[in-house]
Amino acid sequence: ANLFFFFTSTPPAILLSPPAPSLFFSQKSQTMSPLPLLLLLALTSTMHAHAATLYADIPGVIDVATPSVDQTTTAPFSEIQAGAPSEAGNVTIALSTEEDTADWSTVTLRLCYAPISQVDRKWRSTKDNVQGNTQCKQPGLKKIATIPWESGTNTLEYTFQPSENVAEAVYFIEALVQNANETYVAKGFSGQKAFFQVIGWEAVDAGLITAAAVLSALSWASLGIYFIKDYLFTKKPTSMSNSPSFSLTTSTKTLA
């Protein structure tokens, strides 16, 4: 009887109450509202547009040169030391164009692997779009810099110093120009003229090696001094001749 009362005493209003309105469904028909889908499609299309900028779709041309290095695409190349600003070498990047730069806003400079440094390294492969081109992306340096391009000017110069995060390899420079809407309007590469080689930064310098050698010598010297001290100054044990002696006598009884 109690169980019957429990099931039958539930108010009918709770059993028959309509479900709560949902953000993705209309309140009247409980069908899915098209607004979230439209927002999702708009967001997806916007992300796709930014992530699929093909080099072939960038109309303008910019000349990129590195006059501070040897103008050659075959070894040997000019060597640039990577490291801290006080010890690193530098590369002069010269940009010029005959395009109308009235709507130019910024230029992004990127360091790209030369073909010789792409051999057997699939993670450095060349792609046909800007964002996915791993040839011009390094784990320690996604870009050299993004600098403003003054409207109406046709030349620009920048000095690049490879930091200690730049891997040792052969490189060239890529330049990508954007307008105020972040649309790519011009591109250029120095790879047709010259490559240069970045020498990797040595994490262990001469000073650290010298300090390690000195500490190692001191540790061996300390160990030798300890053994000498222990041998000369440790109290020797007392001689057994001064200690009382005991004799053990046994007696035998002859059984009659």
Side-chain angles (χ1 to χ4, degrees), residues 180-232:
N181 297 325
E182 298 185 354
T183 301
Y184 291 101
V185 294
K187 64 181 182 296
F189 313 91
S190 67
Q192 296 90 345
K193 303 175 183 178
F195 298 145
F196 57 89
Q197 184 172 3
V198 172
I199 305 301
W201 178 65
E202 294 291 340
V204 181
D205 58 10
L208 186 59
I209 294 175
T210 302
V214 171
L215 291 175
S216 179
L218 288 175
S219 65
W220 280 107
S222 300
L223 186 62
I225 292 172
Y226 170 78
F227 279 113
I228 293 174
K229 176 179 176 297
D230 184 70
Y231 178 78
L232 294 178

Side-chain angles (χ1 to χ4, degrees), residues 20 37 58-59 62 68 76 79 109 125 152 157 177 197 202 204 250:
L37 289 177
I58 303 176
I62 183 172
S68 61
E79 296 182 349
L109 303 174
S125 58
E157 190 172 290
V177 180
Q197 184 172 3
E202 294 291 340
V204 181
T250 59

Side-chain angles (χ1 to χ4, degrees), residues 159-177:
T159 301
F160 164 59
Q161 283 188 294
S163 69
E164 57 269 19
N165 295 323
V166 177
E168 183 166 333
V170 180
Y171 295 98
F172 65 93
I173 303 297
E174 175 191 75
L176 298 167
V177 180

Side-chain angles (χ1 to χ4, degrees), residues 22-113:
S22 172
L23 176 64
F24 299 99
F25 295 89
S26 62
Q27 189 171 358
K28 292 183 179 180
S29 61
Q30 289 296 307
T31 57
M32 191 170 185
S33 173
L35 180 59
L37 289 177
L38 293 176
L39 292 175
L40 182 60
L41 289 174
L43 179 61
T44 304
S45 61
T46 302
M47 293 175 62
H48 179 73
H50 283 284
T53 304
L54 300 177
Y55 284 101
D57 294 337
I58 303 176
V61 177
I62 183 172
D63 182 77
V64 184
T66 49
S68 61
V69 303
D70 295 337
Q71 300 301 294
T72 178
T73 56
T74 57
F77 307 106
S78 295
E79 296 182 349
I80 310 298
Q81 178 63 52
S86 60
E87 61 184 11
N90 59 72
V91 178
T92 301
I93 304 172
L95 309 176
S96 62
T97 184
E98 297 181 357
E99 303 280 344
D100 182 9
T101 62
D103 64 338
W104 287 19
S105 180
T106 61
V107 57
T108 297
L109 303 174
R110 301 203 298 184
L111 194 62
C112 304
Y113 294 106

Side-chain angles (χ1 to χ4, degrees), residues 10-19:
T10 304
I14 297 179
L15 296 175
L16 300 177
S17 59

